[in-house]
PDB file of all heavy atoms in Angstrom:
ATOM      1  N   TRP A   1       0.751  -1.297   0.073  1.00  0.00           N
ATOM      2  CA  TRP A   1      -0.014  -0.038   0.014  1.00  0.00           C
ATOM      3  C   TRP A   1       0.819   1.231   0.008  1.00  0.00           C
ATOM      4  O   TRP A   1       0.555   2.118  -0.892  1.00  0.00           O
ATOM      5  CB  TRP A   1      -0.920  -0.033   1.272  1.00  0.00           C
ATOM      6  CG  TRP A   1      -1.765   1.161   1.547  1.00  0.00           C
ATOM      7  CD1 TRP A   1      -1.520   1.920   2.708  1.00  0.00           C
ATOM      8  CD2 TRP A   1      -2.749   1.766   0.953  1.00  0.00           C
ATOM      9  NE1 TRP A   1      -2.351   2.966   2.705  1.00  0.00           N
ATOM     10  CE2 TRP A   1      -3.158   2.929   1.668  1.00  0.00           C
ATOM     11  CE3 TRP A   1      -3.327   1.528  -0.253  1.00  0.00           C
ATOM     12  CZ2 TRP A   1      -4.259   3.743   1.324  1.00  0.00           C
ATOM     13  CZ3 TRP A   1      -4.451   2.384  -0.786  1.00  0.00           C
ATOM     14  CH2 TRP A   1      -4.801   3.503   0.105  1.00  0.00           C
ATOM     15  N   LEU A   2       1.913   1.358   0.781  1.00  0.00           N
ATOM     16  CA  LEU A   2       2.695   2.480   0.962  1.00  0.00           C
ATOM     17  C   LEU A   2       3.635   2.576  -0.297  1.00  0.00           C
ATOM     18  O   LEU A   2       4.472   1.726  -0.373  1.00  0.00           O
ATOM     19  CB  LEU A   2       3.564   2.532   2.231  1.00  0.00           C
ATOM     20  CG  LEU A   2       4.439   3.808   2.408  1.00  0.00           C
ATOM     21  CD1 LEU A   2       3.591   5.010   2.524  1.00  0.00           C
ATOM     22  CD2 LEU A   2       5.253   3.599   3.596  1.00  0.00           C
ATOM     23  N   GLY A   3       3.353   3.572  -1.209  1.00  0.00           N
ATOM     24  CA  GLY A   3       4.197   3.588  -2.471  1.00  0.00           C
ATOM     25  C   GLY A   3       5.225   4.553  -2.476  1.00  0.00           C
ATOM     26  O   GLY A   3       6.124   4.456  -3.385  1.00  0.00           O
ATOM     27  N   GLY A   4       5.389   5.330  -1.505  1.00  0.00           N
ATOM     28  CA  GLY A   4       6.463   6.326  -1.368  1.00  0.00           C
ATOM     29  C   GLY A   4       6.235   7.355  -0.334  1.00  0.00           C
ATOM     30  O   GLY A   4       5.038   7.575   0.195  1.00  0.00           O
ATOM     31  N   SER A   5       7.293   8.045   0.133  1.00  0.00           N
ATOM     32  CA  SER A   5       7.175   9.131   1.040  1.00  0.00           C
ATOM     33  C   SER A   5       8.270  10.102   0.780  1.00  0.00           C
ATOM     34  O   SER A   5       9.108   9.946   0.035  1.00  0.00           O
ATOM     35  CB  SER A   5       7.380   8.561   2.489  1.00  0.00           C
ATOM     36  OG  SER A   5       8.587   7.978   2.666  1.00  0.00           O
ATOM     37  N   CYS A   6       8.312  11.289   1.490  1.00  0.00           N
ATOM     38  CA  CYS A   6       9.159  12.302   1.145  1.00  0.00           C
ATOM     39  C   CYS A   6      10.629  12.044   1.527  1.00  0.00           C
ATOM     40  O   CYS A   6      11.548  12.557   0.866  1.00  0.00           O
ATOM     41  CB  CYS A   6       8.770  13.632   1.795  1.00  0.00           C
ATOM     42  SG  CYS A   6       9.120  13.743   3.591  1.00  0.00           S
ATOM     43  N   GLY A   7      10.807  11.202   2.524  1.00  0.00           N
ATOM     44  CA  GLY A   7      12.196  10.879   2.954  1.00  0.00           C
ATOM     45  C   GLY A   7      12.900  11.969   3.701  1.00  0.00           C
ATOM     46  O   GLY A   7      14.081  11.668   4.115  1.00  0.00           O
ATOM     47  N   GLN A   8      12.269  13.081   4.013  1.00  0.00           N
ATOM     48  CA  GLN A   8      12.971  14.134   4.604  1.00  0.00           C
ATOM     49  C   GLN A   8      12.324  14.731   5.898  1.00  0.00           C
ATOM     50  O   GLN A   8      12.978  15.404   6.557  1.00  0.00           O
ATOM     51  CB  GLN A   8      13.092  15.438   3.562  1.00  0.00           C
ATOM     52  CG  GLN A   8      13.788  14.999   2.373  1.00  0.00           C
ATOM     53  CD  GLN A   8      13.830  16.109   1.326  1.00  0.00           C
ATOM     54  OE1 GLN A   8      13.129  17.137   1.432  1.00  0.00           O
ATOM     55  NE2 GLN A   8      14.598  15.941   0.245  1.00  0.00           N
ATOM     56  N   CYS A   9      11.045  14.460   6.200  1.00  0.00           N
ATOM     57  CA  CYS A   9      10.323  15.047   7.324  1.00  0.00           C
ATOM     58  C   CYS A   9      10.783  14.270   8.492  1.00  0.00           C
ATOM     59  O   CYS A   9      11.545  13.224   8.520  1.00  0.00           O
ATOM     60  CB  CYS A   9       8.814  14.915   7.084  1.00  0.00           C
ATOM     61  SG  CYS A   9       8.136  13.271   6.988  1.00  0.00           S
ATOM     62  N   ALA A  10      10.235  14.782   9.642  1.00  0.00           N
ATOM     63  CA  ALA A  10      10.497  14.194  11.025  1.00  0.00           C
ATOM     64  C   ALA A  10       9.989  12.780  11.050  1.00  0.00           C
ATOM     65  O   ALA A  10      10.594  11.919  11.654  1.00  0.00           O
ATOM     66  CB  ALA A  10       9.937  15.007  12.085  1.00  0.00           C
ATOM     67  N   TYR A  11       8.773  12.487  10.416  1.00  0.00           N
ATOM     68  CA  TYR A  11       8.216  11.167  10.444  1.00  0.00           C
ATOM     69  C   TYR A  11       9.203  10.121   9.760  1.00  0.00           C
ATOM     70  O   TYR A  11       9.569   9.076  10.309  1.00  0.00           O
ATOM     71  CB  TYR A  11       6.906  11.220   9.810  1.00  0.00           C
ATOM     72  CG  TYR A  11       5.895  11.908  10.649  1.00  0.00           C
ATOM     73  CD1 TYR A  11       5.172  12.959  10.027  1.00  0.00           C
ATOM     74  CD2 TYR A  11       5.584  11.623  11.981  1.00  0.00           C
ATOM     75  CE1 TYR A  11       4.213  13.663  10.752  1.00  0.00           C
ATOM     76  CE2 TYR A  11       4.599  12.277  12.740  1.00  0.00           C
ATOM     77  CZ  TYR A  11       3.905  13.303  12.049  1.00  0.00           C
ATOM     78  OH  TYR A  11       2.936  14.083  12.815  1.00  0.00           O
ATOM     79  N   CYS A  12       9.621  10.588   8.417  1.00  0.00           N
ATOM     80  CA  CYS A  12      10.472   9.723   7.604  1.00  0.00           C
ATOM     81  C   CYS A  12      11.913   9.545   8.363  1.00  0.00           C
ATOM     82  O   CYS A  12      12.382   8.433   8.321  1.00  0.00           O
ATOM     83  CB  CYS A  12      10.708  10.388   6.318  1.00  0.00           C
ATOM     84  SG  CYS A  12       9.260  10.255   5.203  1.00  0.00           S
ATOM     85  N   GLY A  13      12.329  10.461   9.061  1.00  0.00           N
ATOM     86  CA  GLY A  13      13.569  10.435   9.670  1.00  0.00           C
ATOM     87  C   GLY A  13      13.538   9.622  10.969  1.00  0.00           C
ATOM     88  O   GLY A  13      14.613   9.372  11.599  1.00  0.00           O
ATOM     89  N   SER A  14      12.374   9.210  11.409  1.00  0.00           N
ATOM     90  CA  SER A  14      12.197   8.325  12.783  1.00  0.00           C
ATOM     91  C   SER A  14      11.612   6.978  12.465  1.00  0.00           C
ATOM     92  O   SER A  14      10.851   6.504  13.301  1.00  0.00           O
ATOM     93  CB  SER A  14      11.528   9.192  13.865  1.00  0.00           C
ATOM     94  OG  SER A  14      10.218   9.552  13.415  1.00  0.00           O
ATOM     95  N   GLU A  15      11.651   6.478  11.219  1.00  0.00           N
ATOM     96  CA  GLU A  15      11.081   5.257  10.827  1.00  0.00           C
ATOM     97  C   GLU A  15       9.608   5.290  11.024  1.00  0.00           C
ATOM     98  O   GLU A  15       8.990   4.215  11.356  1.00  0.00           O
ATOM     99  CB  GLU A  15      11.728   4.100  11.580  1.00  0.00           C
ATOM    100  CG  GLU A  15      13.183   3.797  11.236  1.00  0.00           C
ATOM    101  CD  GLU A  15      13.780   2.542  11.809  1.00  0.00           C
ATOM    102  OE1 GLU A  15      13.131   1.996  12.781  1.00  0.00           O
ATOM    103  OE2 GLU A  15      14.594   1.938  11.148  1.00  0.00           O
ATOM    104  N   ARG A  16       8.966   6.393  10.746  1.00  0.00           N
ATOM    105  CA  ARG A  16       7.500   6.635  10.787  1.00  0.00           C
ATOM    106  C   ARG A  16       7.081   7.122   9.384  1.00  0.00           C
ATOM    107  O   ARG A  16       6.147   7.960   9.468  1.00  0.00           O
ATOM    108  CB  ARG A  16       7.096   7.387  12.071  1.00  0.00           C
ATOM    109  CG  ARG A  16       7.330   6.780  13.304  1.00  0.00           C
ATOM    110  CD  ARG A  16       6.814   7.612  14.452  1.00  0.00           C
ATOM    111  NE  ARG A  16       7.552   8.903  14.500  1.00  0.00           N
ATOM    112  CZ  ARG A  16       7.067  10.055  15.131  1.00  0.00           C
ATOM    113  NH1 ARG A  16       5.986   9.992  15.866  1.00  0.00           N
ATOM    114  NH2 ARG A  16       7.802  11.020  15.278  1.00  0.00           N
ATOM    115  N   GLU A  17       7.559   6.535   8.400  1.00  0.00           N
ATOM    116  CA  GLU A  17       7.291   6.952   7.083  1.00  0.00           C
ATOM    117  C   GLU A  17       5.785   6.896   6.693  1.00  0.00           C
ATOM    118  O   GLU A  17       5.219   7.475   5.919  1.00  0.00           O
ATOM    119  CB  GLU A  17       8.108   6.279   6.051  1.00  0.00           C
ATOM    120  CG  GLU A  17       7.941   4.801   6.055  1.00  0.00           C
ATOM    121  CD  GLU A  17       9.060   4.058   5.443  1.00  0.00           C
ATOM    122  OE1 GLU A  17      10.124   4.638   5.261  1.00  0.00           O
ATOM    123  OE2 GLU A  17       8.915   2.768   5.348  1.00  0.00           O
ATOM    124  N   ASN A  18       5.209   5.939   7.549  1.00  0.00           N
ATOM    125  CA  ASN A  18       3.738   5.777   7.387  1.00  0.00           C
ATOM    126  C   ASN A  18       2.835   6.935   7.703  1.00  0.00           C
ATOM    127  O   ASN A  18       1.671   6.975   7.417  1.00  0.00           O
ATOM    128  CB  ASN A  18       3.242   4.498   8.203  1.00  0.00           C
ATOM    129  CG  ASN A  18       3.560   4.718   9.648  1.00  0.00           C
ATOM    130  OD1 ASN A  18       4.588   5.149  10.132  1.00  0.00           O
ATOM    131  ND2 ASN A  18       2.611   4.487  10.566  1.00  0.00           N
ATOM    132  N   LEU A  19       3.495   7.950   8.514  1.00  0.00           N
ATOM    133  CA  LEU A  19       2.680   9.093   8.941  1.00  0.00           C
ATOM    134  C   LEU A  19       3.193  10.331   7.966  1.00  0.00           C
ATOM    135  O   LEU A  19       2.662  11.467   8.150  1.00  0.00           O
ATOM    136  CB  LEU A  19       3.038   9.349  10.259  1.00  0.00           C
ATOM    137  CG  LEU A  19       2.609   8.292  11.303  1.00  0.00           C
ATOM    138  CD1 LEU A  19       2.921   8.708  12.671  1.00  0.00           C
ATOM    139  CD2 LEU A  19       1.213   7.945  11.170  1.00  0.00           C
ATOM    140  N   CYS A  20       3.995  10.147   7.068  1.00  0.00           N
ATOM    141  CA  CYS A  20       4.480  11.269   6.264  1.00  0.00           C
ATOM    142  C   CYS A  20       3.307  11.952   5.519  1.00  0.00           C
ATOM    143  O   CYS A  20       2.484  11.273   4.883  1.00  0.00           O
ATOM    144  CB  CYS A  20       5.518  10.795   5.089  1.00  0.00           C
ATOM    145  SG  CYS A  20       6.037  11.930   4.013  1.00  0.00           S
ATOM    146  N   ASP A  21       3.389  13.195   5.632  1.00  0.00           N
ATOM    147  CA  ASP A  21       2.147  13.993   4.978  1.00  0.00           C
ATOM    148  C   ASP A  21       2.258  14.083   3.392  1.00  0.00           C
ATOM    149  O   ASP A  21       1.274  14.317   2.804  1.00  0.00           O
ATOM    150  CB  ASP A  21       2.327  15.468   5.450  1.00  0.00           C
ATOM    151  CG  ASP A  21       1.797  15.682   6.909  1.00  0.00           C
ATOM    152  OD1 ASP A  21       1.046  14.859   7.379  1.00  0.00           O
ATOM    153  OD2 ASP A  21       2.442  16.587   7.695  1.00  0.00           O
ATOM    154  N   GLU A  22       3.477  13.640   2.870  1.00  0.00           N
ATOM    155  CA  GLU A  22       3.611  13.689   1.445  1.00  0.00           C
ATOM    156  C   GLU A  22       3.688  12.215   0.941  1.00  0.00           C
ATOM    157  O   GLU A  22       4.048  11.951  -0.177  1.00  0.00           O
ATOM    158  CB  GLU A  22       5.071  14.254   1.145  1.00  0.00           C
ATOM    159  CG  GLU A  22       5.120  15.759   1.527  1.00  0.00           C
ATOM    160  CD  GLU A  22       3.952  16.571   0.876  1.00  0.00           C
ATOM    161  OE1 GLU A  22       3.642  16.433  -0.247  1.00  0.00           O
ATOM    162  OE2 GLU A  22       3.454  17.470   1.733  1.00  0.00           O
ATOM    163  N   ALA A  23       3.204  11.258   1.787  1.00  0.00           N
ATOM    164  CA  ALA A  23       3.317   9.882   1.247  1.00  0.00           C
ATOM    165  C   ALA A  23       2.174   9.682   0.130  1.00  0.00           C
ATOM    166  O   ALA A  23       1.349  10.383   0.027  1.00  0.00           O
ATOM    167  CB  ALA A  23       2.944   8.877   2.472  1.00  0.00           C
ATOM    168  N   CYS A  24       2.449   8.684  -0.594  1.00  0.00           N
ATOM    169  CA  CYS A  24       1.523   8.253  -1.829  1.00  0.00           C
ATOM    170  C   CYS A  24       1.237   6.797  -1.650  1.00  0.00           C
ATOM    171  O   CYS A  24       2.180   6.054  -1.054  1.00  0.00           O
ATOM    172  CB  CYS A  24       1.998   8.815  -3.087  1.00  0.00           C
ATOM    173  SG  CYS A  24       3.653   8.021  -3.521  1.00  0.00           S
ATOM    174  N   TYR A  25       0.135   6.403  -2.110  1.00  0.00           N
ATOM    175  CA  TYR A  25      -0.282   5.080  -1.952  1.00  0.00           C
ATOM    176  C   TYR A  25      -0.672   4.291  -3.176  1.00  0.00           C
ATOM    177  O   TYR A  25      -1.294   4.905  -4.051  1.00  0.00           O
ATOM    178  CB  TYR A  25      -1.606   5.129  -0.881  1.00  0.00           C
ATOM    179  CG  TYR A  25      -1.183   5.758   0.279  1.00  0.00           C
ATOM    180  CD1 TYR A  25      -1.536   7.100   0.617  1.00  0.00           C
ATOM    181  CD2 TYR A  25      -0.382   5.131   1.234  1.00  0.00           C
ATOM    182  CE1 TYR A  25      -1.208   7.772   1.747  1.00  0.00           C
ATOM    183  CE2 TYR A  25      -0.001   5.732   2.459  1.00  0.00           C
ATOM    184  CZ  TYR A  25      -0.307   7.077   2.648  1.00  0.00           C
ATOM    185  OH  TYR A  25       0.095   7.786   3.847  1.00  0.00           O
ATOM    186  N   THR A  26      -0.284   3.074  -3.234  1.00  0.00           N
ATOM    187  CA  THR A  26      -0.586   2.252  -4.486  1.00  0.00           C
ATOM    188  C   THR A  26      -1.989   1.922  -4.552  1.00  0.00           C
ATOM    189  O   THR A  26      -2.679   1.539  -3.624  1.00  0.00           O
ATOM    190  CB  THR A  26       0.245   0.943  -4.180  1.00  0.00           C
ATOM    191  OG1 THR A  26       1.596   1.314  -3.784  1.00  0.00           O
ATOM    192  CG2 THR A  26       0.198   0.028  -5.506  1.00  0.00           C
ATOM    193  N   GLY A  27      -2.387   2.055  -5.759  1.00  0.00           N
ATOM    194  CA  GLY A  27      -3.961   1.728  -5.991  1.00  0.00           C
ATOM    195  C   GLY A  27      -4.819   2.837  -5.541  1.00  0.00           C
ATOM    196  O   GLY A  27      -5.948   2.583  -5.327  1.00  0.00           O
ATOM    197  N   TYR A  28      -4.234   3.957  -5.246  1.00  0.00           N
ATOM    198  CA  TYR A  28      -5.061   5.077  -4.819  1.00  0.00           C
ATOM    199  C   TYR A  28      -4.568   6.414  -5.326  1.00  0.00           C
ATOM    200  O   TYR A  28      -5.332   7.024  -6.005  1.00  0.00           O
ATOM    201  CB  TYR A  28      -5.129   5.086  -3.205  1.00  0.00           C
ATOM    202  CG  TYR A  28      -5.821   6.185  -2.538  1.00  0.00           C
ATOM    203  CD1 TYR A  28      -7.083   6.489  -2.821  1.00  0.00           C
ATOM    204  CD2 TYR A  28      -5.293   6.799  -1.409  1.00  0.00           C
ATOM    205  CE1 TYR A  28      -7.845   7.607  -2.260  1.00  0.00           C
ATOM    206  CE2 TYR A  28      -5.987   7.789  -0.713  1.00  0.00           C
ATOM    207  CZ  TYR A  28      -7.297   8.104  -1.165  1.00  0.00           C
ATOM    208  OH  TYR A  28      -7.915   9.128  -0.540  1.00  0.00           O
TER     209      TYR A  28
END
């Protein structure tokens, strides 16, 4: 489901890429 994230925000930097505001989702 998780197709990508920004890789730069505080969430991505703390292994919480699932909460990234810029995340994008497969099949959505």
Side-chain angles (χ1 to χ4, degrees):
W1 168 247
L2 183 63
S5 65
C6 77
Q8 300 175 349
C9 68
Y11 295 122
C12 290
S14 56
E15 293 191 332
R16 294 181 296 163
E17 60 202 10
N18 59 310
L19 303 179
C20 174
D21 291 331
E22 302 301 323
C24 57
Y25 302 101
T26 310
Y28 180 42

